[in-house]
Amino acid sequence: MKLIKVGAGVVNQTPLDWGGNFQRIVGAIEQARAQGVSLLCLPELCISGYGCEDAFFAPNTFRQSLKYLLALRPHTRGMVVSVGLPLLVQNKAFNCACLLVDGNIAGFVAKKFLAGNGIHYEPRWFTPWTQEGYTTVRIEGKDYKVGDIYFRVGDVKIGFEICEEAWVANRPGRQLYLHGIDVILNPSASHFAFGKLEVRKRFILDGSRAFGVTYVYSNLLGNEAGRAIYDGGGIIACNGQLVAVGKRLTFEDYNVTSAVIDVELSRLAQVQMQTQFAIDKDFGHVVEVDFQFPAIRPEAWHPQEAGWEHSPFLKEEEFARAMMLGLFDYMRKSRSRGFVISLSGGADSSAISVLCRMLIDEGIQQLGLEGFKQKLAYFKEIQDCQSADEIAHKMITVAYQATRNSSETTRRAAEELAKAIHAEYHHSGCRCHHSAIHRRLSAAASGAPSLGSKTTSPCKTYRHAGAHQVSGCLPT
């Protein structure tokens, strides 16, 4: 047997938060080390953050990414760790995964297939690596290979499929298989969508079976920058069998999913396939690094998922958990001190108010009361709170703003809901401000649909403006 403990690291990053991102990566590495992991995969662009958008055009983004990559080296001694970062090569920007081996840079794999659909705009910022082969990049006076390469670390061959690359027909694993790859690492930034976990499992299991490899998938976590929510969930598979599945949609800064795999089992699967192969000297893209994986004992595989993952109401569970995490991260990363909601007594505003309360309860359940407050250390008003109810009263402000169309039923519903979630409650009317707000908004929205047209709800417009006024009156 050739046993290795592999790990899939999940981190909650923020674009351009260089020091914070660095500390969370180090935290994930140390957690993996404590679990006995020798080979750790961390997410795509985890050093800079995935959502830097046009900051990827800024030279300092590349300088800082390289600076923090070099700072990570000593933290990887005795381990093999992959991290994601943007890299400038020949005045082109590439989305790269760097493999660090025992405290040293081994090389860089450049992403071939960029995500350019839906919410993703990678082709705007990066160049796909379309050339067969590699070039070199000089760092601190030493040249490192970058491009279409794989690694032989000790006697274990390691290759990459970076996020989108596993979703395309001509995925890199097909070529890597020809060279007897033992482990494929997939550093990803895959946003949350309903039912997407099962799709990920399918391509991971199919890849591990078809290529006869161990497949390690890592992902980002949380609302990185307001544009998308990432659900985390590291996955490890071997020869078509699910080995380990990590937690999704958690409030943690990082977590690591690990498992002991037998490289020789994967090699046996490839032997039995009896298909074509390639000769390394013809491929010419291998980076060889001396490394001794530690001797370890076998561990049984018991892939377990959270109970809610198998709920008959999975879609509702996913929605609630994604919204709770998204709201929490958006609040703390923008350093906002809570939520102000125009509570009409109807379904929409009631659901939003309840979600804001649910994120407090869920956050405390996962992190503990003190851990929850620590993640909101800038929010001084809640630091002395001793319960979720007290925090809710400081964090959630609701305002019922009556119009001539409002009823006592909706007012009572709004007030009772506010009491149930322990929110601070305000009651005001919109009629006295109707004319002034109407004039201002009509002037600001010239050319847009009339405030009285069928495409716009005047009540909602006035209430939005009123809620904004309420938030401006809160103590700072």
Side-chain angles (χ1 to χ4, degrees), residues 191-203:
H191 65 275
F192 163 78
F194 291 122
K196 198 173 184 180
L197 176 61
E198 294 307 311
V199 179
R200 291 183 192 135
K201 286 181 183 177
R202 191 158 57 246
F203 76 66

Side-chain angles (χ1 to χ4, degrees), residues 190-435:
S190 180
H191 65 275
F192 163 78
F194 291 122
K196 198 173 184 180
L197 176 61
E198 294 307 311
V199 179
R200 291 183 192 135
K201 286 181 183 177
R202 191 158 57 246
F203 76 66
I204 291 168
L205 289 170
D206 287 349
S208 70
R209 176 192 52 77
F211 308 139
V213 297
T214 293
Y215 203 104
V216 182
Y217 169 91
S218 64
N219 194 19
L220 289 173
L221 174 66
N223 185 344
E224 196 202 40
R227 185 172 179 81
I229 298 170
Y230 299 92
D231 50 337
I235 302 174
I236 302 170
C238 185
N239 297 335
Q241 183 176 349
L242 195 63
V243 174
V245 183
K247 297 177 289 185
R248 290 198 304 144
L249 297 168
T250 70
F251 284 61
E252 301 166 302
D253 283 337
Y254 52 83
N255 65 69
V256 175
T257 301
S258 61
V260 174
I261 57 95
D262 185 355
V263 174
E264 290 186 354
L265 278 179
S266 300
R267 292 171 179 170
L268 177 60
Q270 294 184 33
V271 168
Q272 294 171 334
M273 290 177 186
Q274 299 178 346
T275 53
Q276 61 180 326
F277 66 97
I279 300 174
D280 283 345
K281 68 178 182 179
D282 293 335
F283 190 50
H285 308 162
V286 61
V287 176
E288 300 196 46
V289 187
D290 288 333
F291 185 78
Q292 186 67 43
F293 285 96
I296 58 175
R297 298 178 63 84
E299 295 178 6
W301 296 339
H302 297 294
Q304 293 182 339
E305 297 177 277
W308 66 266
E309 294 278 16
H310 301 282
S311 167
F313 306 103
L314 178 59
K315 197 168 186 177
E316 290 81 1
E317 286 276 3
E318 286 189 317
F319 171 78
R321 291 172 186 276
M323 292 302 101
M324 287 188 288
L325 178 58
L327 287 167
F328 179 67
D329 277 353
Y330 193 95
M331 176 182 68
R332 68 184 182 87
K333 292 182 180 183
S334 65
R335 298 185 72 81
S336 301
R337 301 198 320 280
F339 305 94
V340 176
I341 305 155
S342 179
L343 184 57
S344 68
D348 294 345
S349 60
S350 297
I352 294 169
S353 302
V354 170
L355 284 167
C356 291
R357 172 56 199 254
M358 287 174 66
L359 78 84
I360 299 172
D361 295 332
E362 183 66 20
I364 292 174
Q365 181 178 342
Q366 292 188 27
L367 305 173
L369 180 62
E370 294 306 316
F372 182 83
K373 292 192 292 185
Q374 182 57 40
K375 291 203 77 169
L376 300 171
Y378 69 90
F379 196 163
K380 302 303 182 185
E381 293 86 347
I382 70 168
Q383 297 308 311
D384 293 330
C385 294
Q386 297 302 311
S387 69
D389 289 345
E390 291 181 25
I391 292 176
H393 193 70
K394 298 287 187 179
M395 189 179 290
I396 307 171
T397 300
V398 298
Y400 178 78
Q401 299 167 89
T403 70
R404 60 189 176 192
N405 299 315
S406 300
S407 69
E408 178 62 18
T409 300
T410 56
R411 185 206 64 77
R412 188 165 54 250
E415 183 176 7
E416 289 177 357
L417 177 59
K419 290 179 180 177
I421 64 175
H422 291 267
E424 181 179 330
Y425 175 74
H426 297 269
H427 178 193
S428 64
C430 292
R431 280 172 291 184
C432 58
H433 303 295
H434 180 286
S435 298

Side-chain angles (χ1 to χ4, degrees), residues 437-449 451:
I437 293 175
H438 190 287
R439 286 195 301 271
R440 291 184 183 181
L441 292 178
S442 294
S446 59
L451 291 175

